[in-house]
Amino acid sequence: MDFTTWEPVYGRILDDFGFDRTGDERARDALADLVEPFDRDRLNWAGATVAVCGAAPTLDDELDRLDAPDVDVVVAASTAADAVRDAGFDLDLMVTDLDKNPETAVELTESGVPVAAHAHGDNLPAVREWVPRFDADHVLGTTQAAPVGPVVNWGGFTDGDRAAFVADELGAKRLVFAGWDFDDPTVDAMKARKLRWAERLLRWLERRREERFSVLDGRRDGIDPLP
């Protein structure tokens, strides 16, 4: 997804939350100084079925979905990376804004597993603290603002929905989901609002892909559509 397509949606997110675009840009620029261009050819997922793992409490009960014979690639958002690895599954990519388990991201890059590290207005200190500890050969820098230098924007807002947008950009034929709960009662009010946006963004993505995500079954009629 190019930024021209993403920017109107990004603007709506900024307006809804009252976020400052310049904060996102400041963090993006700091990240751009810390990462190298990522060779996306190493993540050629053309024609693949990609499992996108969210970090909801339901994940442990849904990890058997990763055993499906047609699952080719596993992407995990945030702490879902720990659950996937603890269950003995191979992980192909971690997507994180460094807010919960950055140590896991360090370990993954050191072992050669790519990490999509995201910069936004609220995590500049974490970017500066943790990204220099990563093995730079295995870091994909991402932003929700305009892309700059080695830092890309392929769409997405939360770690979870961003993982789906990354899979789409890299050519995934089909997306399946584990560990998603848009009505998670354990999260605070801000996270609940972000989950509403994740839901809207996945609905937008499935329409663009002309696909039906099972994670949205029974929910589509209640989702405020994006253009």
Side-chain angles (χ1 to χ4, degrees):
M1 176 176 293
D2 60 40
F3 187 65
T4 301
T5 302
W6 168 253
E7 186 172 23
V9 174
Y10 173 50
R12 293 176 70 167
I13 292 170
L14 292 176
D15 290 344
D16 188 35
F17 286 90
F19 291 160
D20 179 12
R21 184 185 295 244
T22 60
D24 286 342
E25 293 170 344
R26 189 177 305 114
R28 171 206 63 197
D29 292 345
L31 181 61
D33 289 337
L34 296 170
V35 299
E36 301 294 332
F38 185 84
D39 180 11
R40 60 180 287 165
D41 289 342
R42 63 184 290 195
L43 297 178
N44 181 3
W45 298 344
T49 293
V50 177
V52 181
C53 298
T58 58
L59 178 59
D60 287 342
D61 294 331
E62 298 172 359
L63 284 170
D64 58 339
R65 298 177 187 178
L66 308 188
D67 266 332
D70 63 337
V71 170
D72 306 298
V73 173
V74 177
V75 181
S78 186
T79 55
D82 296 314
V84 168
R85 292 200 305 161
D86 289 347
F89 292 100
D90 292 332
L91 183 62
D92 296 282
L93 178 71
M94 178 186 183
V95 178
T96 177
D97 69 353
L98 312 172
D99 69 335
K100 292 186 176 69
N101 58 338
E103 300 90 347
T104 298
V106 173
E107 294 172 10
L108 287 170
T109 64
E110 290 175 344
S111 65
V113 177
V115 170
H118 190 71
H120 57 71
D122 290 334
N123 77 339
L124 180 55
V127 168
R128 289 174 170 161
E129 177 181 359
W130 288 101
V131 174
R133 305 187 193 188
F134 297 168
D135 184 326
D137 290 338
H138 308 294
V139 182
L140 168 65
T142 68
T143 179
Q144 57 208 30
V148 167
V151 179
V152 304
N153 182 342
W154 294 337
F157 176 49
T158 72
D159 289 341
D161 66 80
R162 190 180 317 113
F165 278 85
V166 169
D168 173 70
E169 176 72 21
L170 294 172
K173 181 178 180 180
R174 179 170 173 255
L175 303 184
V176 298
F177 296 83
W180 287 73
D181 183 358
F182 299 111
D183 302 313
D184 186 348
T186 68
V187 302
D188 62 23
M190 174 62 80
K191 180 61 176 179
R193 289 177 65 194
K194 290 180 177 180
L195 287 173
R196 296 282 77 74
W197 267 101
E199 183 180 54
R200 294 180 73 187
L201 289 166
L202 287 184
R203 176 62 175 139
W204 185 48
L205 181 63
E206 74 164 9
R207 290 173 61 195
R208 293 177 54 82
R209 289 175 56 87
E210 298 182 350
E211 187 175 357
R212 300 275 288 186
F213 299 155
S214 61
V215 73
L216 297 179
D217 288 350
R219 306 185 64 87
R220 291 180 182 84
D221 289 345
I223 298 173
D224 185 15
L226 292 166

